[in-house]
Amino acid sequence: MSHADVAVAMPTALRRPKNTGAHVSTLPMVVPSVGLLLIFSLVPLAATIYFSFLRYNLLNPLVGGFAGFRNYYYLFRDPALYHSLLISVLLVGEVLIITIASAAVLASLFQKQFPGRSIARVLMISPFFVMPTVSALIWKNLLMHPVNGFIAWITRSLGFGVIDFFADWPLTSVVVIVSWQWMPFAFLIMLTALQSLDEETREAADLDGAGPFSIFFHIEVPHMGRAISVVTMMETIFLLGIFAEIYVTTSGGPGDATTNLTFLIYQRALLAFNVGGASAAGVIAIVLANILATFMVRIVGKGLDV
Amino acid sequence: MNQRARYHPVAGTAAWIVALVMFFPIFWMVLASFKPELEAIATPPEVFFTPTLENYQTILERADYLSFAFNSIFISVGATALAIALAVPAAYAMAFYPTKRTRGTLLWMLSTKMLPSVGVLVPIYLFAKNLGLLDTRTLLIIMYMLMNLPIVVWMLFTFFKEMPKAIIEATRIDGASQWQTMIWVLLPLVLPGIASTALLNIILCWNEAFWSLNLTAHDAAPLTAFIASFSAPQGLFWAKLSAASTLAIAPIVVFGWFSQRQLVSGLTFGAVK
């Protein structure tokens, strides 16, 4: 819109319609990145689809040839597929709820003045810099270990006995680790959004007798709305592919309690060497990701003014 | 409420408690890395102990830390530089000369991020093998560049979008070409935005653990592989594992601390109006 305003404000003689507006060829600027991404997402996709129709097992070179839809047939009859989908959804959903709710409260706390605020903020966002393998190791060995872990010591001292986290609450434990890592990310984005709320709005509400809770729910949360949808999309993108945390802590178990779709494909391809079956699962994952992506970008895209 | 009260004691205390709890796991790991093995697993936990550097010595003897660290830095910075070089023109064009397809293209780029890496691992692995790129830094740079390109384009797009359009009009009227306008006029203006995009990208590359573990063996292995080599059960105990972990995350955490101001103001993804 400002585009049109400027054009109108300028003397007609100075206007060069040829050089402005959508007529300029910007194709050379867009093509390199879009083209590369297109090639590198379509070629492996085509290869995965092709493999998914083959009998292809790295351990057994004698088995070969075209499998038709057999890989898909076995996959769809396999309850492991549906279970892994459920785990993926639970993992993403729980982490999203935990991180966004706590980040909203913390953003509200951190935009107030208090001594040592920037140091507290640095400590707060540090988990985001820690690589997933390391954070999984810290939680597994140093904190959640049933015998020597720090949390076991606390629960024992308080008389609650010992919780064997990865045996009794495997998915919850993974959710805790992943939330610890991603909450700072949600916090950073929501804090930035909250800082753009002008102080006068808050002061006016304050003068009108609004308490801290009603300021939070009626002014701050709505103001963070766009940030929340951005965080939801970004985290979903990253959380669907959660792998390292599961690999290090539970290896998908006990049983299949923490096997999400990513981990299921990994097990089929790299542990069972069943390339055909794994590729079929990969195709399912890609189709589902695309369906999800369409919904996600609709929601976020609404706020995205392009 | 007192209007002149600058400090909020309740909010401040709560914020500090949460910050300390969030940081505790990292602190505990660093502490464990300086403990003798037996004290690292002692319950109740030992808070007072004689610090030792023995764990670090063992780790540094067993693995060539500097080579892993160099690979991490080289790959992260290389992939980030490449992604930004490719994304700036695209983001510029999309922000200032949007067409009917711009919105769709941008959202499509983001949706490619949702594709599970594991789904395309086999073909990528086979391509890399045939091209002789397995276990090379070049391969990881390309993979990371592609992996983060959608996010880089999107972030830069939102920064360009915030620039007043009048600037473009004025330079274009002065006879500057597209590329000149972008490089000499707009780039300096969005430099803070580019900086925070680069920061996030470096962090994401540094911590990526799927491609690096599956596509490298030795020559190009970054710190994620360094830590993975120790997490396998091979008689390595917690204190030593903590020392290795501390070595693997120290560079990026310190880097993150120094750049946090930039991150706090820059990570908006267009969410701030």
Side-chain angles (χ1 to χ4, degrees):
Chain A
M1 306 319 110
S2 61
H3 188 275
D5 297 344
V6 173
V8 171
M10 268 186 291
T12 330
L14 281 176
R15 252 196 274 164
R16 288 191 201 166
K18 266 184 197 166
N19 285 347
T20 53
H23 300 290
V24 190
S25 174
T26 51
L27 225 51
M29 300 182 132
V30 183
V31 162
S33 36
V34 174
L36 266 176
L37 208 58
L38 200 62
I39 294 167
F40 275 87
S41 60
L42 288 187
V43 174
L45 177 64
T48 305
I49 293 175
Y50 171 68
F51 287 150
S52 75
F53 288 106
L54 295 183
R55 293 148 165 259
Y56 188 173
N57 192 314
L58 293 172
L59 277 188
N60 191 350
L62 295 176
V63 177
F66 192 62
F69 282 94
R70 218 162 297 154
N71 286 327
Y72 289 96
Y73 175 74
Y74 287 125
L75 190 65
F76 280 117
R77 287 187 38 160
D78 189 349
L81 172 73
Y82 304 101
H83 190 263
S84 72
L85 286 174
L86 176 71
I87 297 293
S88 287
V89 171
L90 286 176
L91 185 57
V92 175
E94 288 176 22
V95 173
L96 274 177
I97 292 169
I98 294 173
T99 54
I100 290 176
S102 47
V105 176
L106 287 163
S108 168
L109 293 179
F110 271 82
Q111 57 82 39
K112 296 185 171 65
Q113 290 283 341
F114 59 84
R117 182 170 65 159
S118 57
I119 298 171
R121 197 174 56 194
V122 166
L123 297 179
M124 180 80 204
I125 61 176
S126 293
F128 184 58
F129 307 134
V130 177
M131 52 183 74
T133 32
V134 168
S135 55
L137 284 172
I138 301 177
W139 282 89
K140 184 189 181 188
N141 292 336
L142 297 177
L143 301 174
M144 286 175 163
H145 193 280
V147 180
N148 303 313
F150 185 80
I151 299 176
W153 172 67
I154 291 184
T155 51
R156 219 181 297 135
S157 310
L158 296 175
F160 293 118
V162 167
I163 304 160
D164 190 353
F165 287 95
F166 292 106
D168 298 337
W169 304 90
L171 189 60
T172 311
S173 306
V174 174
V175 165
V176 167
I177 300 175
V178 176
S179 303
W180 178 72
Q181 284 178 277
W182 283 95
M183 200 270 273
F185 178 78
F187 168 73
L188 273 175
I189 294 176
M190 287 159 75
L191 181 65
T192 314
L194 203 54
Q195 277 165 347
S196 73
L197 177 65
D198 69 53
E199 201 48 46
E200 282 165 26
T201 316
R202 205 179 283 119
E203 271 168 25
D206 198 22
L207 283 180
D208 287 345
F213 287 101
S214 85
I215 290 182
F216 176 71
F217 283 111
H218 293 114
I219 295 173
E220 294 181 337
V221 171
H223 189 78
M224 289 188 281
R226 274 171 60 85
I228 290 173
S229 59
V230 166
V231 170
T232 306
M233 188 175 82
M234 296 296 292
E235 283 196 4
T236 307
I237 287 173
F238 286 103
L239 297 177
L240 278 175
I242 284 288
F243 174 79
E245 292 84 344
I246 297 174
Y247 177 80
V248 173
T249 56
T250 63
S251 295
D256 55 0
T258 51
T259 304
N260 65 355
L261 188 55
T262 308
F263 207 81
L264 182 77
I265 300 171
Y266 164 80
Q267 283 177 334
R268 296 283 152 94
L270 297 178
L271 300 181
F273 299 102
N274 179 358
V275 177
S279 299
V283 172
I284 306 286
I286 289 168
V287 170
L288 289 173
N290 270 309
I291 295 172
L292 190 64
T294 318
F295 277 111
M296 280 287 178
V297 294
R298 281 268 163 75
I299 298 164
V300 176
K302 245 177 215 153
L304 189 73
D305 68 317
V306 178
Chain B
M1 221 189 242
N2 185 357
Q3 277 298 298
R4 279 185 299 174
R6 298 269 300 144
Y7 288 136
H8 296 251
V10 179
T13 314
W16 261 104
I17 291 172
V18 178
L20 290 175
V21 169
M22 285 293 284
F23 189 72
F24 179 79
I26 301 174
F27 165 78
W28 198 243
M29 177 195 74
V30 176
L31 205 64
S33 75
F34 289 107
K35 289 178 182 174
E37 258 337 315
L38 277 178
E39 290 180 36
I41 56 167
T43 39
E46 306 259 352
V47 182
F48 301 102
F49 59 94
T50 329
T52 169
L53 286 175
E54 174 196 340
N55 301 315
Y56 287 94
Q57 278 165 356
T58 315
I59 293 298
L60 292 176
E61 275 164 22
R62 283 171 75 158
D64 187 2
Y65 171 70
L66 286 179
S67 140
F68 287 102
F70 173 78
N71 282 337
S72 271
I73 295 170
F74 190 85
I75 293 167
S76 307
V77 173
T80 303
L82 206 59
I84 286 180
L86 275 168
V88 163
Y92 164 81
M94 286 177 178
F96 289 105
Y97 302 97
T99 64
K100 267 179 287 179
R101 268 176 253 106
T102 301
R103 183 193 163 92
T105 313
L106 206 55
L107 296 180
W108 168 76
M109 290 184 92
L110 277 175
S111 76
T112 63
K113 279 286 304 169
M114 291 198 187
L115 304 186
S117 331
V118 74
V120 293
L121 173 65
V122 177
I124 297 269
Y125 185 89
L126 295 177
F127 290 147
K129 198 176 172 191
N130 289 336
L131 292 171
L133 283 174
L134 273 186
D135 199 18
T136 60
R137 288 187 282 266
T138 316
L139 176 65
L140 276 195
I141 288 180
I142 296 171
M143 289 310 299
Y144 288 179
M145 182 271 285
L146 290 165
M147 177 181 85
N148 290 330
L149 195 58
I151 292 177
V152 174
V153 170
W154 189 26
M155 281 183 77
L156 291 177
F157 167 82
T158 60
F159 290 121
F160 275 125
K161 200 82 188 160
E162 285 162 14
M163 295 288 127
K165 285 223 163 110
I167 296 175
I168 303 287
E169 304 286 339
T171 12
R172 299 286 286 141
I173 283 161
D174 287 344
S177 78
Q178 289 291 345
W179 293 94
Q180 285 170 326
T181 310
M182 185 186 83
I183 294 169
W184 298 109
V185 182
L186 280 165
L187 226 46
L189 289 172
V190 291
L191 216 54
I194 292 181
S196 46
T197 310
L199 289 174
L200 179 69
N201 207 41
I202 287 176
I203 294 167
L204 291 176
C205 292
W206 188 281
N207 293 337
E208 201 286 330
F210 182 76
W211 294 114
S212 62
L213 292 181
N214 285 308
L215 297 179
T216 67
H218 178 263
D219 295 345
L223 284 170
T224 41
F226 166 79
I227 199 68
S229 75
F230 285 118
S231 55
Q234 47 173 256
L236 194 69
F237 296 109
W238 290 1
K240 300 208 174 45
L241 200 54
S242 299
S245 301
T246 308
L247 285 172
I249 67 166
I252 199 73
V253 171
V254 172
F255 175 76
W257 284 349
F258 280 107
S259 56
Q260 63 106 7
R261 209 162 283 278
Q262 196 64 47
L263 275 177
V264 170
S265 58
L267 272 189
T268 64
F269 295 98
V272 177
K273 288 256 100 180

